Amino acid sequence: MDLSSHDHGLPDDGAGADGLGLAELAEEVGVADPVTIAGLATRGGPVPGVRPVMAPVGIVSIRADEMTVRCGAGTPVSELDDALAAVGQSVAIPPTGTVGGALAVGHSGLRRLGYGPIRDTVLQVRYVSAAGEVVTAGGPTVKNVSGFDLCRLLVGSRGTLGFLAEVILRTRPRARYEQWFTSTADPWDLVATLYRPTSVLWDGERTLVLLEGDRRDVDDQARLLGLSPADPPGSLPTGGRWSLPPNELQRLPPTGRFVAEIGVGIVHHEHPPPDRQVDPAVSELHRRIKQRFDPTGRLNPGVSVLDGVG
Amino acid sequence: MSTGPSSALFDDLRAVLDTDRVRTGATELGLYRKDASNMEGTTSVVCLPRTTDEVAGCVRAAVRHGVPFVARGSGTGLAGGAVPLDGAVVIVTSKMDRVLSVDRVARTAWVEPGVLNLDLSRQVAHLGLHFAPDPSSQQTCSIGGNVANNAGGPHCLAEGVTASHVLAVEVVLPDGTVTVLGGEDPEPPGYDLRGVFVGSEGMFGIATRICVRLVPDPPAIRTLLLDFLDVDDGARTVSDIIAAGMVPAAVEMMDQLCLEAVEGYIHAGLPVDAAVALLVEVVGLPHGVEADVERITRIARERGVRDIRIAADETERALLWKGRKSAFGAIARIKPNYYLHDTVVPRSRLPAVLAQVYEIAARHQLLVLNVFHAGDGNLHPLLVFDKREPGVMERVHAAGEEIVRASVAAGGVLSGEHGIGLEKRDLMGLMFGPVDLAAQAALRDAFDPAGMANPRKVLPSGSACGDLQAVPEGAWI
Ligand SMILES: Cc1cc2nc3c(=O)[nH]c(=O)nc-3n(C[C@H](O)[C@H](O)[C@H](O)COP(=O)(O)OP(=O)(O)OC[C@H]3O[C@@H](n4cnc5c(N)ncnc54)[C@H](O)[C@@H]3O)c2cc1C
Ligand SMILES: Cc1cc2nc3c(=O)[nH]c(=O)nc-3n(C[C@H](O)[C@H](O)[C@H](O)COP(=O)(O)OP(=O)(O)OC[C@H]3O[C@@H](n4cnc5c(N)ncnc54)[C@H](O)[C@@H]3O)c2cc1C
């Protein structure tokens, strides 16, 4: 692993560098039979009964002064977190499973309110297509509008359009100080009054707030709003992950245990989410995209990103 | 006036819009043939719809007659994105300029695409909110154009570019169907079609309503001007700030020629004898801001900063920003014409690539000013010239292409915010191989199988299998 913060000579983010064995993965994926990809199987895992492959594992480079990291998609998020912690940085990906699995599922973590969604962390992806080719999407720099945004198409695509092999991600500096607090105040008052909290969680009675930054600012905000220090949140209900416009969390049905991400709109619920409708034009776009990226339906067969949606 | 298919098309368009919003006069056609780049196309009709249904009607009419269409906001694009090719119908959003609703609790707004960027921030200012992307063209460019080009600006360093500020887009797809991509909820089901639409340069359909995120105004702001006698020291200070774990709200750089031009124009007391100046803005809660100002000051001193000016009040802050934002007006004092480039390089390569930019310009006997988003490595070399000088355009284009190539060779990308359009279409091969381009072409094809929305932009000919289109004339002028 290269932890240097200055590069010399040829940038290793250039096209063509392949220390990770992307070509081998492409070979394994092949061109004909159904194939599935496994991360650490923390969420779904590979499609049962289908020949599985795995994405390359390993960190290629951490560029502290670029605030980017390049790694194999099979790298466990925990390994990436540890390596980034050593340079005082982190990446806005929820902490379990592999980088590729987390991106393929596309769910953001509990700090989305402060850190932004997982889809905004991806700068470049090298993926293996249904034709068994290594395709590059996006670019290595923190800002880039060269061509259409295939990276965003792939985040949340559950391995149905291509298998993520290697990614370049945007990192962020770790806060100098962070503290969870608790409060019985109205969570909407808190989210309206606090300046950019990192997380505001509400279970119907109690609010948990994560504040980050300069310790004096954190303490001042806490004092101003009567927050008391608390432990980080415990386990969340896993019956369903609801996604609602943030204001609708004010009208959650009173049944079932839940933890709601105030200001974001995610509800970790004991019960499955209410049914949703998808506009026929949107389903048709999905069909056409899948048809063009995987005409024979060989990648993660049976998986549909619109599963469970009416 | 011509007869045949066009007059039938005009009739159909007039059935959708009132007659006076379907324009075919020579003056207007001349105006809408170009954008802020120096490329030109051709069109026979310009439409000014007011509603989504009218946009859909115009699209359906064009498609029915086999004529492509191009969406246009304010025409400030610099990559030729809104330049009509193949006689495309120009669909202008300037009459769709209402902020439809603002939700102060959710901090979102639904806007029509023709709303001007700065107008949106002005209209929500009383709520202590603003729209974060702030392109230098913000007084005139439209939100629809920002969405299509995934626009950036000085304050996108910490806040992210337009893609991070768009939650949902109502679009008229290239076959005239109306739908909504994305949603007000954080994880709409399915592929991120909203994310894919942002930056699609008018080739995936026309945005007719946009749900944007608004961000709260920061409680504390500090604006610093740091000047250096050596370009390298300034550029290295940028990397050092980021490596030290800070992401300021903005880190902009202006070089000597730019400082001189701007100072002559607005008299802000800028250090005209410095090699470069950095305009750094830190925002947030007061203690964190003061701590960052201290750390930035220390880093700059270690890099030999000559002078550090910290804006004492809002008036001085506004003046410093005016200096940054007046660059385009100021250069008219040097030469009548300019060509503004836009590439990104890794921050650590800024010193080396800037040196190359000066060398390239000198070799082509051109003046170059640099005024750019240094914090994210987004270079904007500004070549200034007088186009009446014989042979100058050839030198401008040659130098421009060399700058783009040098940026990509340094591990950078073709464009950070202006887009590819026509300008850089034929340079896409510098970044992407045939399979990469085919994947982008496949995505475009899923949205627009008939190729009617803003044809022949972004992807070089031959990107899709069996695709044999001609290179349009004048791609570089
Ligand atoms: C105890 C626990 C707690 C959790 N908490 C949270 C939480 O708080 N927030 C949250 O968002 N999530 C949470 N999750 C879910 C989990 O973080 C993600 O779903 C996980 O990161 C998926 O990674 P994985 O490697 O385990 O993927 P897998 O489960 O192996 O795969 C998931 C899906 O992605 C596909 N996939 C895997 N790798 C790739 C690849 N390289 N390219 C393309 N497709 C691929 C697979 O085929 C499969 O369809 C939790 C999971 C567990 C077990
Ligand atoms: C002096 C100057 C400074 C600039 N500074 C910056 C800067 O700092 N940052 C930056 O990002 N850009 C900058 N630009 C470039 C330009 O202002 C932006 O690209 C802007 O987003 C374009 O908006 P527009 O409304 O003028 O779009 P137009 O030029 O009209 O169109 C641009 C593209 O968007 C498409 N489009 C327009 N409206 C829609 C719609 N409703 N639906 C779908 N597609 C649509 C068009 O087809 C075209 O491809 C600058 C330009 C100038 C002249």
Side-chain angles (χ1 to χ4, degrees), chain A:
Chain A
M1 192 200 332
D2 167 22
L3 278 179
S4 72
S5 53
H6 293 280
D7 53 359
H8 306 279
L10 269 184
D12 70 355
D13 292 333
D18 185 6
L20 281 173
L22 306 193
E24 285 82 347
L25 177 65
E27 185 100 341
E28 257 188 278
V29 168
V31 297
D33 60 326
V35 55
T36 184
I37 187 159
L40 290 175
T42 59
R43 176 71 59 91
V47 177
V50 175
R51 180 174 65 88
V53 297
M54 285 182 84
V57 181
I59 298 171
V60 179
S61 60
I62 291 178
R63 298 279 185 78
D65 61 347
E66 303 298 342
M67 292 219 303
T68 62
V69 57
R70 180 177 172 205
C71 69
T75 310
V77 180
S78 59
E79 187 184 321
L80 186 61
D81 276 341
D82 291 346
L84 286 171
V87 294
Q89 297 186 354
S90 67
V91 63
I93 293 186
T96 50
T98 61
V99 169
L103 293 173
V105 172
H107 292 166
S108 305
L110 286 179
R111 299 180 178 206
R112 174 174 171 155
L113 186 62
Y115 295 180
I118 188 171
R119 61 185 187 228
D120 288 357
T121 62
V122 183
L123 301 173
Q124 180 182 285
V125 170
R126 294 228 167 92
Y127 69 94
V128 177
S129 70
E133 289 171 320
V134 178
V135 182
T136 301
T141 54
V142 292
K143 200 170 179 190
N144 174 26
V145 296
S146 315
F148 302 134
D149 197 343
L150 290 177
C151 291
R152 284 207 166 71
L153 180 68
L154 290 164
V155 175
S157 68
R158 293 179 190 258
T160 60
L161 301 178
F163 292 167
L164 312 179
E166 184 212 86
V167 293
I168 298 178
L169 305 171
R170 175 199 304 281
T171 63
R172 39 178 305 118
R174 255 164 220 269
R176 273 165 266 170
Y177 177 71
E178 67 168 60
Q179 176 66 48
W180 284 92
F181 295 93
T182 182
S183 164
T184 49
D186 180 66
W188 278 273
D189 285 347
L190 290 177
V191 92
T193 320
L194 289 164
Y195 180 71
R196 301 208 148 182
T198 304
S199 190
V200 178
L201 304 177
W202 180 63
D203 64 6
E205 285 165 17
R206 206 169 68 113
T207 307
L208 277 181
V209 176
L210 176 61
L211 299 181
E212 292 186 331
D214 188 289
R215 179 162 190 166
R216 292 162 295 175
D217 290 326
V218 170
D219 291 344
D220 283 355
Q221 293 238 306
R223 205 173 313 116
L224 206 68
L225 286 148
L227 308 176
S228 342
D231 289 331
S235 70
L236 304 170
T238 53
R241 184 179 174 95
W242 302 16
S243 171
L244 302 171
N247 289 355
E248 279 182 27
L249 301 191
Q250 306 195 34
R251 298 180 288 274
L252 277 181
T255 54
R257 198 170 87 78
F258 69 86
V259 173
E261 299 182 21
I262 305 300
V264 173
I266 294 293
V267 186
H268 306 265
H269 211 289
E270 190 184 344
H271 301 311
D275 284 344
R276 304 185 56 137
Q277 297 299 313
V278 169
D279 186 77
V282 169
S283 328
E284 171 60 12
L285 283 171
H286 278 75
R287 192 194 62 74
R288 284 197 225 146
I289 290 170
K290 173 71 177 174
Q291 205 272 327
R292 280 158 183 79
F293 280 78
D294 181 17
T296 62
R298 61 184 296 258
L299 302 181
N300 268 1
V303 174
S304 160
V305 289
L306 292 177
D307 263 356
V309 182

Side-chain angles (χ1 to χ4, degrees), chain B residues 71 73-78 81 135-137 142 145-146 148-149 151-152 201-202 205 207 417-418:
Chain B
S74 305
T76 68
L78 288 163
S136 308
S137 51
S142 73
N146 294 166
N149 280 1
E201 302 201 29
E417 49 185 31
H418 296 171

